Structure formats: C-alpha cells, structure tokens
Amino acid sequence: DKQARGYIDKLITAQAEQLADLIIHRKAQVYVCGHAKFAEAVHQGLTKILLPYFNNDLMKTNDAINAMMSNNQYHQDVFTRDIVAPTRQ
C-alpha cells in the first residue's frame, strides 16, 4: 500500500529538522540507492529542508549538497531503467 509506506519526499519533510541537524551539524552520511526518480526525489527533498539553513539561497544550498557529494558525505547508487531478461521462445 503506497499510502501506508509514504513517499520519500513526505518522509524527508516530516523529519526535516532532525535530518537537517544530522546532515549539517553532525555530518551524517547520506546513502541513496534506487531508481533515478527516487534519487531525484531525495535530492529535491534534501534541497527543500536544507534551504532555510542557507538563507533560502538555492545556489548556496546546491553548492552545499554538491560539497557533500565531493566530500563523500552524500552517496548515490542509482539506476536509470529496469533491466528485463529476454524471454525464451
């Protein structure tokens, strides 16, 4: 049930203060594994919750997220499409 599981952007938003504290002040590691659409939703969610910490400056927020990637604080293992095995005839 999708509604019971929730969507990642809603989960990130629901835990915004805790996640931002962990990421900014405690240098928590962020690991994202899944489809590119999922990774994009996580990225957008993180941008949304971190934006206030960078004076609502989108460029500074994006720079901070890019720095997290460069400093190995934000890790992604992303695939772009499902691989379907060929059917035997």
Side-chain angles (χ1 to χ4, degrees), residues 7-24:
Y7 292 101
I8 191 64
D9 54 339
K10 290 180 184 177
L11 295 172
I12 290 171
T13 301
Q15 301 296 320
E17 191 174 320
Q18 290 173 312
L19 285 172
D21 178 61
L22 288 169
I23 291 167
I24 293 172

Side-chain angles (χ1 to χ4, degrees), residues 11-60:
L11 295 172
I12 290 171
T13 301
Q15 301 296 320
E17 191 174 320
Q18 290 173 312
L19 285 172
D21 178 61
L22 288 169
I23 291 167
I24 293 172
H25 300 115
R26 300 179 189 212
K27 304 297 183 204
Q29 299 288 308
V30 178
Y31 293 89
V32 179
C33 182
H35 195 277
K37 290 179 184 179
F38 175 78
E40 180 61 26
V42 171
H43 184 84
Q44 288 176 356
L46 291 178
T47 300
K48 182 178 177 180
I49 68 165
L50 295 177
L51 197 58
Y53 292 86
F54 296 94
N55 297 317
N56 293 314
D57 185 322
L58 185 57
M59 186 176 287
K60 287 182 182 178

